[in-house]
Amino acid sequence: MAKLFVICGHGAGDPGADGGGYTEAERVRALAARIKALGGSEVELGDTSRNWYRDGGISRLETTAPVVELHMDASGVPGAHGAHVIVKKGFEPDEYDRALADKLAAFMPGRAEKIVHHSELANVNRAARRGINYRLVENGFIDSEEDREKFNGHLDELARIYLEVFGITASSATSEPEAGASGSGSTGFEGGTYRCTVDTLNVRDEPGLSGSVVASYHKNQTVVLDSWYKVADGYVWGRYTGATSGKLRYVAVGRATGKPEADDYLVRVE
């Protein structure tokens, strides 16, 4: 039985907020995909092709699991940053709300209030009328370079915060290949936004040349890699989570020389 139901904000043609070349709808779906991938059957991921606000989906949702709706904020105000949790005005935050607010504030600080009450948000009200255990979370400001860097470069860490709060063990993490950590391995690799420097760069379903090609990137396209890496077949392999498939995908960043090189296939830009 699922311990957490995850809804992604915006989508179905609505990009939400934007900043730094990213959209809110795409980023929260990348986060949701990692929560699902790491949480397995204990996480139920709501249909990511929908706009749950526009189609009123919460009014018809049948679940006994606590619900989290993922968003990112935007303000246009220089220096605004940080994550917080939104609950229905008049409701007392429960143990999930408090734990999530505390951990997110430590991960992505900057908000004056970790928990905020609202009465005008449609899905907040819909969930309250249905008696659904619900909260909306702003995972930082997408127009904050500081928050984007933390979100993009530490996506799995952020996903694990949600799993820990709702009592879910990140079971799939133990089945991943042995790999280095961000910035600390012999390759000097770190997560973030990377730009493709070659005409075609294959995306594979395993980190190595034996993996099947499932997609490709082309020159000047960008991809956000998490902080995981592996050296295999003479290359440094990075990974990301497919926004549509929710599956881990792997790309060769460059030759395994022990440091970033000018002729790497992917060059970090952020």
Side-chain angles (χ1 to χ4, degrees):
M1 180 181 294
K3 294 182 178 179
L4 175 63
F5 191 100
V6 178
I7 293 172
C8 298
H10 304 280
D14 173 11
D18 63 84
Y22 298 93
T23 68
E24 178 184 5
E26 184 276 326
R27 287 290 75 205
V28 299
R29 280 159 175 75
L31 172 58
R34 290 308 295 148
I35 295 172
K36 172 60 179 174
L38 292 168
S41 61
E42 293 188 309
V43 175
E44 186 171 356
L45 180 56
D47 186 351
T48 57
S49 69
R50 297 171 57 178
N51 183 317
W52 285 77
Y53 162 75
R54 187 178 293 156
D55 67 19
I58 289 180
S59 296
R60 300 180 298 278
L61 177 62
E62 297 296 336
T63 183
T64 58
V67 175
V68 168
E69 182 170 342
L70 303 175
H71 284 261
M72 293 187 77
D73 213 339
S75 71
V77 178
H81 62 283
H84 72 184
V85 174
I86 294 173
V87 298
K88 169 71 173 174
K89 186 176 182 179
F91 282 27
E92 185 69 23
D94 66 12
E95 60 179 321
Y96 297 131
D97 300 321
R98 293 190 296 270
L100 193 55
D102 287 344
K103 291 181 181 298
L104 289 175
F107 174 80
M108 196 178 287
R111 298 274 193 171
E113 296 180 89
K114 295 183 291 187
I115 298 178
V116 178
H117 293 79
H118 280 275
S119 61
E120 80 288 358
L121 299 177
N123 280 350
V124 172
N125 293 333
R126 289 164 179 159
R129 286 194 295 268
R130 300 279 317 285
I132 295 172
N133 187 314
Y134 166 98
R135 70 276 307 139
L136 186 152
V137 182
E138 299 282 8
N139 293 275
F141 285 78
I142 198 168
D143 56 355
S144 162
E145 183 176 355
E146 178 180 349
D147 284 359
R148 284 198 313 274
E149 182 174 340
K150 193 66 180 286
F151 186 106
N152 293 338
H154 301 270
L155 194 60
D156 275 14
E157 184 180 345
L158 179 56
R160 286 190 174 95
I161 287 174
Y162 285 90
L163 298 178
E164 181 181 352
V165 166
F166 291 95
I168 301 168
T169 301
S171 56
S172 66
T174 60
S175 65
E176 289 300 312
E178 293 296 320
S182 175
S184 62
S186 61
T187 64
F189 181 80
E190 57 183 327
T193 303
Y194 283 75
R195 177 177 54 82
C196 181
T197 66
V198 294
D199 290 338
T200 301
L201 179 64
N202 288 330
V203 178
R204 299 179 185 269
D205 61 1
E206 296 290 341
L209 296 177
S210 61
S212 299
V213 176
V214 294
S216 61
Y217 279 91
H218 302 287
K219 194 167 186 176
N220 293 325
Q221 288 186 313
T222 58
V223 57
V224 178
L225 304 178
D226 64 28
S227 56
W228 180 96
Y229 71 82
K230 182 181 182 181
V231 176
D233 299 325
Y235 301 96
V236 175
W237 297 84
R239 75 177 184 187
Y240 68 95
T241 302
T244 301
S245 69
K247 296 180 179 180
L248 290 172
R249 300 306 189 195
Y250 303 89
V251 286
V253 178
R255 293 173 294 113
T257 64
K259 65 183 188 303
E261 302 287 356
D263 61 350
D264 281 346
Y265 313 137
L266 292 171
V267 176
R268 191 172 187 270
V269 296
E270 181 177 303

